[in-house]
Amino acid sequence: MEHETAESLQGKTVIAILANMPLGRLLDEFSGRDHKILPWIFALFHALTRQKDYDIHWITLSKLVSEPECRHLNGQTLHIIPQRSIAVDLLTMHLRPSFQIHRLLDLLQPSLVHIWGVEGAYATACKKFKGKKLLSYQGALTACCERAPQVFLFRVQAFLERLAVKHYGQITCESPWGADRVAEIAPSSQISLMEYGVEESFFHMGRNLSDTPSCFFGGTIYELKGVSYLVEAFKHPDLAHVQLYIAGNGLLKARLEAESTPNIHWLGAVSRETLQQYLSSAWCLVHPTLGDNSPNIVKEARVMGLPVITTEEGGQTQYVKDGESGYIVPVRDSGAIREAVLKVTHDRETALNMGLQGRQECRSLLNVDRTAEECLNLYRTMLNSDL
Protein backbone atom coordinates (compact mmCIF):
# COMPACT_ATOMS: atom_id res chain seq x y z
CA MET A 1 0.00 0.00 0.00
CA GLU A 2 1.26 3.48 -0.87
CA HIS A 3 1.04 5.96 2.00
CA GLU A 4 1.58 9.71 2.09
CA THR A 5 2.72 11.38 5.30
CA ALA A 6 2.10 14.94 6.48
CA GLU A 7 5.52 16.00 5.16
CA SER A 8 4.71 14.85 1.64
CA LEU A 9 1.58 17.02 1.61
CA GLN A 10 3.07 20.45 2.24
CA GLY A 11 3.16 20.08 6.00
CA LYS A 12 -0.59 19.97 6.53
CA THR A 13 -1.82 18.60 9.82
CA VAL A 14 -2.93 14.99 9.39
CA ILE A 15 -6.35 13.93 10.64
CA ALA A 16 -7.42 10.28 10.49
CA ILE A 17 -11.16 9.54 10.37
CA LEU A 18 -12.12 5.92 11.03
CA ALA A 19 -15.57 4.83 9.89
CA ASN A 20 -17.50 2.25 7.94
CA MET A 21 -17.58 3.76 4.47
CA PRO A 22 -20.24 3.29 1.76
CA LEU A 23 -17.69 2.12 -0.79
CA GLY A 24 -20.37 1.34 -3.35
CA ARG A 25 -21.38 4.99 -3.37
CA LEU A 26 -17.82 6.31 -3.47
CA LEU A 27 -16.13 3.98 -5.96
CA ASP A 28 -17.77 2.62 -9.11
CA GLU A 29 -15.93 -0.68 -8.92
CA PHE A 30 -17.75 -1.54 -5.67
CA SER A 31 -21.21 -0.30 -6.69
CA GLY A 32 -22.59 -3.75 -7.42
CA ARG A 33 -21.15 -5.37 -4.31
CA ASP A 34 -21.53 -2.82 -1.55
CA HIS A 35 -24.97 -1.42 -0.76
CA LYS A 36 -24.30 0.39 2.50
CA ILE A 37 -25.98 3.79 2.64
CA LEU A 38 -24.43 5.52 5.70
CA PRO A 39 -25.82 8.88 4.60
CA TRP A 40 -24.09 11.09 7.15
CA ILE A 41 -20.65 9.60 6.40
CA PHE A 42 -21.23 9.81 2.64
CA ALA A 43 -22.37 13.42 2.88
CA LEU A 44 -19.62 14.37 5.32
CA PHE A 45 -16.96 12.87 3.05
CA HIS A 46 -18.06 15.17 0.23
CA ALA A 47 -18.55 18.18 2.49
CA LEU A 48 -15.00 17.86 3.80
CA THR A 49 -13.56 17.98 0.27
CA ARG A 50 -14.12 21.74 0.43
CA GLN A 51 -11.83 22.32 3.41
CA LYS A 52 -8.17 23.17 2.75
CA ASP A 53 -6.60 23.18 6.21
CA TYR A 54 -6.02 19.49 6.87
CA ASP A 55 -4.71 16.37 5.18
CA ILE A 56 -7.61 14.01 5.83
CA HIS A 57 -7.18 10.25 5.72
CA TRP A 58 -10.25 8.02 5.95
CA ILE A 59 -9.70 4.48 7.25
CA THR A 60 -12.28 1.76 6.72
CA LEU A 61 -12.54 -2.01 7.07
CA SER A 62 -14.14 -3.95 4.23
CA LYS A 63 -14.68 -7.52 3.09
CA LEU A 64 -14.51 -6.34 -0.51
CA VAL A 65 -10.71 -6.26 -0.64
CA SER A 66 -8.19 -9.00 0.00
CA GLU A 67 -5.20 -6.68 0.34
CA PRO A 68 -4.87 -3.17 1.77
CA GLU A 69 -5.71 -0.49 -0.79
CA CYS A 70 -5.18 3.27 -0.89
CA ARG A 71 -7.23 5.66 -3.04
CA HIS A 72 -7.06 9.43 -3.49
CA LEU A 73 -10.46 11.06 -3.93
CA ASN A 74 -11.15 14.78 -4.19
CA GLY A 75 -8.19 15.83 -2.08
CA GLN A 76 -8.67 13.17 0.58
CA THR A 77 -7.11 9.73 1.01
CA LEU A 78 -9.13 6.56 1.56
CA HIS A 79 -7.40 3.54 3.12
CA ILE A 80 -9.28 0.24 2.80
CA ILE A 81 -8.19 -2.53 5.18
CA PRO A 82 -9.35 -6.12 4.51
CA GLN A 83 -11.89 -7.42 6.99
CA ARG A 84 -12.36 -11.10 7.66
CA SER A 85 -15.13 -12.52 9.88
CA ILE A 86 -16.94 -9.88 11.91
CA ALA A 87 -17.99 -12.55 14.41
CA VAL A 88 -14.39 -13.68 14.90
CA ASP A 89 -13.29 -10.07 15.27
CA LEU A 90 -15.86 -9.53 18.01
CA LEU A 91 -15.00 -12.72 19.88
CA THR A 92 -11.26 -11.88 19.74
CA MET A 93 -11.91 -8.27 20.84
CA HIS A 94 -10.95 -6.97 17.38
CA LEU A 95 -7.36 -8.17 17.77
CA ARG A 96 -6.51 -8.51 14.07
CA PRO A 97 -8.10 -5.28 12.74
CA SER A 98 -6.69 -3.37 15.70
CA PHE A 99 -3.18 -4.47 14.75
CA GLN A 100 -3.74 -3.37 11.13
CA ILE A 101 -5.16 -0.01 12.20
CA HIS A 102 -2.28 0.56 14.65
CA ARG A 103 0.26 -0.11 11.88
CA LEU A 104 -1.44 2.36 9.54
CA LEU A 105 -1.68 5.06 12.22
CA ASP A 106 2.02 4.60 12.96
CA LEU A 107 2.72 5.39 9.30
CA LEU A 108 0.37 8.37 9.08
CA GLN A 109 1.25 9.90 12.45
CA PRO A 110 -2.03 11.82 12.72
CA SER A 111 -2.37 14.73 15.12
CA LEU A 112 -5.97 13.72 15.74
CA VAL A 113 -8.09 10.65 15.16
CA HIS A 114 -11.87 10.81 14.81
CA ILE A 115 -13.70 7.52 15.33
CA TRP A 116 -17.27 7.09 14.14
CA GLY A 117 -19.26 4.53 16.10
CA VAL A 118 -18.63 1.87 18.70
CA GLU A 119 -20.27 -0.97 16.78
CA GLY A 120 -17.13 -2.02 14.89
CA ALA A 121 -13.42 -2.31 15.58
CA TYR A 122 -12.48 1.37 15.35
CA ALA A 123 -13.20 2.49 18.92
CA THR A 124 -11.51 -0.58 20.38
CA ALA A 125 -8.52 -0.23 18.05
CA CYS A 126 -7.91 3.43 18.96
CA LYS A 127 -8.56 3.34 22.69
CA LYS A 128 -4.78 3.22 23.35
CA PHE A 129 -3.91 5.91 20.78
CA LYS A 130 -1.66 8.40 22.58
CA GLY A 131 -2.63 11.50 20.61
CA LYS A 132 -5.80 13.52 20.55
CA LYS A 133 -8.91 11.55 19.74
CA LEU A 134 -12.61 12.11 19.27
CA LEU A 135 -15.37 9.51 19.38
CA SER A 136 -18.72 10.10 17.66
CA TYR A 137 -21.56 7.87 18.77
CA GLN A 138 -23.92 6.48 16.15
CA GLY A 139 -25.83 4.27 18.56
CA ALA A 140 -25.98 3.40 22.23
CA LEU A 141 -25.49 -0.35 22.37
CA THR A 142 -25.61 -0.80 26.13
CA ALA A 143 -28.84 1.20 26.31
CA CYS A 144 -30.33 -0.89 23.49
CA CYS A 145 -29.54 -4.10 25.37
CA GLU A 146 -31.27 -2.71 28.43
CA ARG A 147 -34.43 -1.90 26.50
CA ALA A 148 -34.95 -5.01 24.38
CA PRO A 149 -33.58 -8.56 24.02
CA GLN A 150 -30.58 -8.72 21.70
CA VAL A 151 -28.71 -11.51 19.92
CA PHE A 152 -25.44 -12.73 21.39
CA LEU A 153 -23.08 -10.83 19.08
CA PHE A 154 -24.93 -7.57 19.72
CA ARG A 155 -24.42 -8.12 23.45
CA VAL A 156 -20.71 -8.69 22.79
CA GLN A 157 -20.63 -5.36 20.93
CA ALA A 158 -22.24 -3.68 23.93
CA PHE A 159 -19.63 -5.25 26.23
CA LEU A 160 -16.81 -3.92 24.03
CA GLU A 161 -18.52 -0.52 23.98
CA ARG A 162 -18.28 -0.33 27.77
CA LEU A 163 -14.60 -1.31 27.65
CA ALA A 164 -13.68 1.21 24.95
CA VAL A 165 -15.69 4.33 25.71
CA LYS A 166 -13.97 5.13 28.99
CA HIS A 167 -10.74 5.73 27.03
CA TYR A 168 -12.24 8.73 25.19
CA GLY A 169 -12.27 12.11 26.85
CA GLN A 170 -14.06 13.83 23.93
CA ILE A 171 -17.32 12.33 22.66
CA THR A 172 -20.03 13.68 20.36
CA CYS A 173 -23.67 12.60 20.34
CA GLU A 174 -26.58 13.56 18.12
CA SER A 175 -29.17 13.93 20.85
CA PRO A 176 -29.57 14.77 24.54
CA TRP A 177 -31.00 11.28 25.00
CA GLY A 178 -27.85 9.76 23.50
CA ALA A 179 -25.64 12.02 25.61
CA ASP A 180 -27.41 10.83 28.76
CA ARG A 181 -26.87 7.20 27.77
CA VAL A 182 -23.16 7.77 27.10
CA ALA A 183 -22.77 9.59 30.42
CA GLU A 184 -24.11 6.51 32.18
CA ILE A 185 -21.08 4.48 31.03
CA ALA A 186 -18.51 7.29 30.62
CA PRO A 187 -19.30 9.85 33.34
CA SER A 188 -15.88 11.53 33.16
CA SER A 189 -15.94 12.19 29.40
CA GLN A 190 -16.72 15.58 27.89
CA ILE A 191 -19.80 15.08 25.74
CA SER A 192 -20.91 17.58 23.10
CA LEU A 193 -23.97 17.58 20.88
CA MET A 194 -23.38 17.56 17.12
CA GLU A 195 -26.00 16.73 14.53
CA TYR A 196 -24.65 14.30 11.94
CA GLY A 197 -26.88 15.61 9.16
CA VAL A 198 -29.05 14.29 6.35
CA GLU A 199 -27.81 13.79 2.82
CA GLU A 200 -28.74 16.50 0.38
CA SER A 201 -31.10 14.52 -1.85
CA PHE A 202 -33.75 14.47 0.88
CA PHE A 203 -33.86 18.27 0.91
CA HIS A 204 -35.04 18.21 -2.72
CA MET A 205 -37.83 15.68 -2.27
CA GLY A 206 -41.40 16.96 -2.33
CA ARG A 207 -44.54 15.39 -0.92
CA ASN A 208 -46.97 13.66 -3.25
CA LEU A 209 -49.49 12.07 -0.91
CA SER A 210 -51.17 8.81 -1.88
CA ASP A 211 -54.88 8.98 -2.78
CA THR A 212 -55.84 7.09 0.37
CA PRO A 213 -54.20 7.42 3.80
CA SER A 214 -50.87 5.61 4.11
CA CYS A 215 -48.09 5.41 6.70
CA PHE A 216 -44.50 4.29 6.41
CA PHE A 217 -41.95 2.54 8.63
CA GLY A 218 -38.33 1.93 7.64
CA GLY A 219 -35.76 0.09 9.72
CA THR A 220 -34.64 -3.25 11.07
CA ILE A 221 -37.54 -5.57 11.94
CA TYR A 222 -36.58 -6.55 15.46
CA GLU A 223 -37.77 -6.01 19.00
CA LEU A 224 -35.97 -2.72 19.66
CA LYS A 225 -37.85 -0.89 16.89
CA GLY A 226 -41.24 -1.73 18.37
CA VAL A 227 -42.55 -3.10 15.08
CA SER A 228 -44.76 -5.67 16.81
CA TYR A 229 -46.70 -2.83 18.48
CA LEU A 230 -46.97 -1.05 15.15
CA VAL A 231 -48.43 -4.15 13.49
CA GLU A 232 -50.82 -4.64 16.38
CA ALA A 233 -52.06 -1.07 15.97
CA PHE A 234 -52.73 -1.49 12.25
CA LYS A 235 -54.50 -4.82 12.70
CA HIS A 236 -57.25 -2.98 14.59
CA PRO A 237 -60.43 -2.45 12.52
CA ASP A 238 -60.23 1.31 13.12
CA LEU A 239 -57.16 1.46 10.85
CA ALA A 240 -58.38 -0.94 8.17
CA HIS A 241 -58.66 2.02 5.75
CA VAL A 242 -55.04 3.14 6.35
CA GLN A 243 -52.25 1.39 4.45
CA LEU A 244 -48.98 0.66 6.27
CA TYR A 245 -45.80 0.08 4.25
CA ILE A 246 -42.90 -1.53 6.14
CA ALA A 247 -39.42 -1.48 4.61
CA GLY A 248 -36.62 -3.57 6.04
CA ASN A 249 -35.67 -7.06 7.15
CA GLY A 250 -35.02 -8.64 10.51
CA LEU A 251 -35.69 -11.45 12.95
CA LEU A 252 -39.36 -10.62 13.49
CA LYS A 253 -40.33 -10.10 9.87
CA ALA A 254 -41.57 -13.61 9.02
CA ARG A 255 -43.76 -13.94 12.11
CA LEU A 256 -45.23 -10.46 11.90
CA GLU A 257 -45.86 -10.73 8.18
CA ALA A 258 -47.70 -14.02 8.66
CA GLU A 259 -50.14 -12.46 11.13
CA SER A 260 -50.67 -9.18 9.26
CA THR A 261 -53.94 -7.87 7.87
CA PRO A 262 -54.34 -6.86 4.18
CA ASN A 263 -53.60 -3.19 4.88
CA ILE A 264 -50.03 -4.03 6.02
CA HIS A 265 -47.50 -4.35 3.20
CA TRP A 266 -44.00 -5.79 3.66
CA LEU A 267 -41.46 -4.36 1.23
CA GLY A 268 -38.24 -6.01 2.43
CA ALA A 269 -35.01 -4.18 1.70
CA VAL A 270 -35.50 -1.24 -0.65
CA SER A 271 -33.18 1.08 -2.56
CA ARG A 272 -32.61 4.65 -1.46
CA GLU A 273 -34.68 5.92 -4.37
CA THR A 274 -37.57 3.60 -3.51
CA LEU A 275 -37.40 4.65 0.13
CA GLN A 276 -37.70 8.30 -0.91
CA GLN A 277 -40.69 7.53 -3.12
CA TYR A 278 -42.54 5.83 -0.27
CA LEU A 279 -41.72 8.70 2.09
CA SER A 280 -42.96 11.18 -0.50
CA SER A 281 -46.34 9.47 -0.81
CA ALA A 282 -46.80 8.64 2.89
CA TRP A 283 -49.14 10.74 5.02
CA CYS A 284 -46.81 10.21 7.98
CA LEU A 285 -43.87 8.20 9.29
CA VAL A 286 -44.43 5.90 12.27
CA HIS A 287 -41.36 5.00 14.34
CA PRO A 288 -42.42 3.20 17.56
CA THR A 289 -38.90 2.54 18.87
CA LEU A 290 -38.13 1.30 22.37
CA GLY A 291 -34.94 3.37 22.34
CA ASP A 292 -32.92 5.08 19.60
CA ASN A 293 -30.03 7.53 19.66
CA SER A 294 -31.10 9.58 16.63
CA PRO A 295 -32.66 7.45 13.87
CA ASN A 296 -31.91 8.60 10.34
CA ILE A 297 -35.36 7.77 9.00
CA VAL A 298 -36.98 10.26 11.38
CA LYS A 299 -34.55 13.01 10.41
CA GLU A 300 -35.06 12.29 6.71
CA ALA A 301 -38.84 12.36 7.10
CA ARG A 302 -38.79 15.68 8.95
CA VAL A 303 -36.46 17.28 6.37
CA MET A 304 -38.93 16.21 3.68
CA GLY A 305 -41.86 17.60 5.66
CA LEU A 306 -43.56 14.48 6.99
CA PRO A 307 -45.25 14.42 10.37
CA VAL A 308 -43.82 11.71 12.62
CA ILE A 309 -45.44 9.48 15.20
CA THR A 310 -42.81 8.15 17.58
CA THR A 311 -42.21 7.20 21.19
CA GLU A 312 -40.90 9.19 24.11
CA GLU A 313 -37.80 6.98 24.42
CA GLY A 314 -35.02 8.23 22.17
CA GLY A 315 -33.29 11.18 20.57
CA GLN A 316 -35.82 11.43 17.74
CA THR A 317 -38.16 13.36 20.04
CA GLN A 318 -36.11 16.51 19.46
CA TYR A 319 -37.40 16.67 15.87
CA VAL A 320 -41.09 16.25 16.76
CA LYS A 321 -43.32 18.63 18.68
CA ASP A 322 -46.19 16.66 20.15
CA GLY A 323 -49.51 17.65 18.65
CA GLU A 324 -47.92 19.98 16.09
CA SER A 325 -45.45 18.14 13.83
CA GLY A 326 -46.53 14.68 14.94
CA TYR A 327 -47.24 12.78 18.13
CA ILE A 328 -45.03 11.37 20.87
CA VAL A 329 -46.56 8.27 22.46
CA PRO A 330 -45.54 5.89 25.25
CA VAL A 331 -43.41 2.86 24.35
CA ARG A 332 -45.13 -0.49 23.82
CA ASP A 333 -48.54 1.13 23.41
CA SER A 334 -50.32 0.02 20.25
CA GLY A 335 -53.48 1.84 21.31
CA ALA A 336 -51.66 5.16 21.49
CA ILE A 337 -50.10 4.52 18.07
CA ARG A 338 -53.54 3.80 16.63
CA GLU A 339 -55.06 6.99 18.04
CA ALA A 340 -52.16 9.10 16.77
CA VAL A 341 -52.43 7.61 13.26
CA LEU A 342 -56.16 8.38 13.20
CA LYS A 343 -55.43 12.01 14.07
CA VAL A 344 -52.68 12.51 11.49
CA THR A 345 -54.60 10.76 8.69
CA HIS A 346 -57.91 12.49 9.42
CA ASP A 347 -57.56 14.35 6.11
CA ARG A 348 -54.90 15.40 3.62
CA GLU A 349 -54.69 18.95 4.92
CA THR A 350 -53.90 17.74 8.42
CA ALA A 351 -51.11 15.45 7.15
CA LEU A 352 -49.64 18.21 4.98
CA ASN A 353 -49.89 21.01 7.53
CA MET A 354 -48.46 18.97 10.42
CA GLY A 355 -45.48 18.06 8.29
CA LEU A 356 -44.72 21.71 7.63
CA GLN A 357 -44.57 22.53 11.33
CA GLY A 358 -40.92 22.90 12.33
CA ARG A 359 -39.66 21.67 8.96
CA GLN A 360 -37.43 24.67 8.33
CA GLU A 361 -35.82 24.34 11.75
CA CYS A 362 -35.08 20.66 11.03
CA ARG A 363 -33.66 21.48 7.60
CA SER A 364 -31.32 24.05 9.12
CA LEU A 365 -30.31 21.77 11.99
CA LEU A 366 -29.71 18.74 9.77
CA ASN A 367 -27.78 20.37 6.94
CA VAL A 368 -24.60 18.33 6.52
CA ASP A 369 -22.57 21.47 5.74
CA ARG A 370 -23.30 22.46 9.32
CA THR A 371 -22.08 19.03 10.44
CA ALA A 372 -18.85 19.48 8.49
CA GLU A 373 -18.27 22.93 9.94
CA GLU A 374 -18.95 21.71 13.48
CA CYS A 375 -16.49 18.87 12.89
CA LEU A 376 -13.82 21.26 11.67
CA ASN A 377 -14.42 23.67 14.57
CA LEU A 378 -14.08 20.78 17.00
CA TYR A 379 -10.88 19.65 15.27
CA ARG A 380 -9.44 23.17 15.56
CA THR A 381 -10.36 23.44 19.21
CA MET A 382 -8.85 20.07 20.05
CA LEU A 383 -5.66 20.66 18.03
CA ASN A 384 -5.13 24.05 19.64
CA SER A 385 -5.73 22.74 23.13
CA ASP A 386 -2.89 21.75 25.44
CA LEU A 387 -4.95 18.86 26.80
Side-chain angles (χ1 to χ4, degrees), residues 217 222-231 288-290 337:
F217 169 88
Y222 73 131
E223 189 64 35
L224 185 68
K225 297 296 184 181
V227 187
S228 57
Y229 304 99
L230 176 61
V231 170
T289 180
L290 307 185
I337 296 171

Side-chain angles (χ1 to χ4, degrees), residues 216-219 225-226 230 285-292 295-298 308-311 316 329 337:
F216 183 78
F217 169 88
K225 297 296 184 181
L230 176 61
L285 175 81
V286 189
H287 191 79
T289 180
L290 307 185
D292 248 315
N296 288 312
I297 190 70
V298 173
V308 172
I309 297 168
T310 190
T311 67
Q316 72 282 352
V329 302
I337 296 171

Side-chain angles (χ1 to χ4, degrees), residues 267-336:
L267 306 176
V270 299
S271 68
R272 205 64 174 162
E273 293 74 17
T274 301
L275 171 74
Q276 290 175 331
Q277 291 169 7
Y278 274 102
L279 283 173
S280 176
S281 63
W283 291 37
C284 71
L285 175 81
V286 189
H287 191 79
T289 180
L290 307 185
D292 248 315
N293 184 27
S294 191
N296 288 312
I297 190 70
V298 173
K299 296 190 290 187
E300 292 158 355
R302 292 299 296 126
V303 161
M304 287 180 60
L306 271 75
V308 172
I309 297 168
T310 190
T311 67
E312 57 195 3
E313 185 71 51
Q316 72 282 352
T317 57
Q318 66 186 319
Y319 313 115
V320 182
K321 192 166 185 179
D322 189 42
E324 295 186 18
S325 57
Y327 290 97
I328 298 174
V329 302
V331 296
R332 299 184 174 90
D333 193 333
S334 58

Side-chain angles (χ1 to χ4, degrees), residues 13-192:
T13 299
V14 175
I15 294 176
I17 307 178
L18 291 80
N20 285 331
M21 301 293 286
L23 295 178
R25 305 184 73 188
L26 293 171
L27 298 166
D28 290 342
E29 66 199 84
F30 296 122
S31 61
R33 296 183 290 154
D34 176 62
H35 303 287
K36 292 190 296 294
I37 300 298
L38 300 173
W40 62 98
I41 295 294
F42 178 74
L44 182 61
F45 181 91
H46 287 287
L48 288 176
T49 63
R50 297 190 287 274
Q51 68 80 35
K52 304 298 182 184
D53 296 331
Y54 305 114
D55 175 20
I56 295 181
H57 291 253
W58 294 80
I59 300 173
T60 193
L61 295 162
S62 175
K63 290 185 175 182
L64 300 180
V65 299
S66 57
E67 297 292 335
E69 297 189 13
C70 180
R71 307 295 178 86
H72 302 288
L73 299 172
N74 300 325
Q76 301 181 98
T77 306
L78 173 61
H79 303 270
I80 310 172
I81 297 175
Q83 185 172 46
R84 304 297 188 246
S85 166
I86 296 175
V88 171
D89 283 348
L90 283 170
L91 295 175
T92 58
M93 300 180 69
H94 301 300
L95 182 62
R96 187 178 185 278
S98 292
F99 172 77
Q100 294 173 301
I101 290 170
H102 289 164
R103 187 169 58 179
L104 180 53
L105 291 177
D106 285 342
L107 286 167
L108 296 175
Q109 291 292 299
S111 298
L112 184 151
V113 295
H114 184 182
I115 297 94
W116 283 88
V118 293
E119 297 85 351
Y122 310 112
T124 297
C126 293
K127 67 182 183 180
K128 299 298 185 183
F129 179 74
K130 299 302 182 183
K132 296 177 180 180
K133 55 192 176 185
L134 171 67
L135 174 63
S136 288
Y137 261 67
Q138 298 170 170
L141 307 182
T142 298
C144 292
C145 288
E146 293 170 348
R147 285 158 176 76
Q150 304 292 343
V151 297
F152 172 69
L153 288 179
F154 193 105
R155 298 198 304 274
V156 173
Q157 285 180 306
F159 170 73
L160 295 178
E161 172 190 55
R162 294 191 293 275
L163 291 182
V165 68
K166 63 184 179 182
H167 293 277
Y168 292 87
Q170 296 279 347
I171 299 175
T172 73
C173 292
E174 295 177 87
S175 66
W177 184 90
D180 289 343
R181 304 291 77 77
V182 174
E184 290 171 356
I185 58 175
S188 62
S189 297
Q190 181 175 332
I191 303 170
S192 57

